[in-house]
Amino acid sequence: MEQRVFNFSAGPATLPLPALEEAQRDLVAFPGAGASVMEISHRSKQFAAVLESAKANVQKLLNLPENYKILFVQGGASLQFSMVPMNFLRGEGKSADYILTGSWGGKAIKEAKKEGATRVAWTGKEEKFVRVPGQNELDLDPKAVYCHFTSNETIEGVQFATEPDTGKVPLVCDASSDILSRPIAIEKYGLIYAGAQKNIGPSGVALVIVREDLLAQVPEGLPSMLDYKLMVENDSLYNTPSCFAIYMVMLVTKWLLEDIGGLDAIAAINKKKARLLYDTIDGSGGFYKGHANKEARSAMNVTWRLPSEELEQKFTKEATAAGLHGLKGHRSVGGIRASIYNAMPVEGVEALADFMTEFRAKNG
Ligand SMILES: *Cc1c(COP(=O)(O)O)cnc(C)c1O
């Protein structure tokens, strides 16, 4: 059988081996169904149990209060860029704030502008997205219908240490690349969304967590598939959902709860992994240069440059040969990016840090 490598790809990304193995074991015949989870009705009692456990796991991990509803929708995080403003921004006199700390936030506001009025509460674009704003730098509209931020910018490797304080304005968060990687102050959020394929499952499904009272604002006449209220009323089963992807999210969240021990435990592991790489960068005498400012460094996507593009190419090529895959930076920024989501084991990061030290010794 083909050997598994350490996969540092940004997304779709590495998944926990126990989740993959359980899926493999039950792929052909799901217990109690006598058929694959891909082959049974989304309204069968077996699939209902899968959906219920996926929701219960997320609820438990995040310690979600009763008034937050969990949805599994399609169209990825990118459709949420539109769905959020369609549901909350349409109509006279409404405006939404956007905090821009990287490429994905830019895409989110681009879609929001098609639906209504937006304001940029802060942008790091001129500085090439190397940091997050301080609270006192935010130009917030107290009447905004929501304030959107990206908790972790996957491409630049810039992450908020804590949520911005928006007072009574509901926080909306694109948490695609750091959802369930650490505990969060859930009560600060109005809505959180995340494409599953970074930290919690395969592509094809997005997780949405929405505070129930906000659903009263959803306007009439939205396309049914884009209406949060209808999706909540139908418990994500208005139409056929991404059954297999939801099943995988259930297995990944089960791993997180039972094998890892929850979000405090995974956060400690993630911190340790990130520190290993950042220490290697900082201890390289300038051979490796981190992209993000230290206080905004992401624990999920570690981004850095080498002295030349030739060396960067050599680095990714030799890393791949050494079983360390997916390290090429995003095409828009170049350099190197190591995505070290929940499922990347410490051993993978240790192997990468060792490789970096050797590579510098040979090429520095
Ligand atoms: C990957 C990513 C997206 C886009 O996700 P899709 O599911 O491909 O639409 C959006 N936001 C962030 C922060 C991401 O990392």
Side-chain angles (χ1 to χ4, degrees), residues 295-312:
E295 68 285 357
R297 282 173 162 178
S298 169
M300 297 279 99
N301 311 96
V302 180
T303 51
W304 72 93
R305 310 265 354 193
L306 271 69
S308 70
E309 285 187 21
E310 291 68 43
L311 274 175
E312 287 170 354

Side-chain angles (χ1 to χ4, degrees), residues 75-79 81 104 150 152-154 174 176-177 195 197-198:
S78 297
L79 189 56
F81 295 163
W104 289 114
T150 311
N152 182 64
E153 281 284 358
T154 322
D174 175 0
S176 293
S177 51
Q197 71 274 16
K198 274 64 183 243

Side-chain angles (χ1 to χ4, degrees), residues 189-212:
Y189 293 83
L191 187 145
I192 306 174
Y193 63 88
Q197 71 274 16
K198 274 64 183 243
N199 228 351
I200 55 169
S203 63
V205 71
L207 171 69
V208 176
I209 298 165
V210 58
R211 212 177 65 208
E212 203 171 15

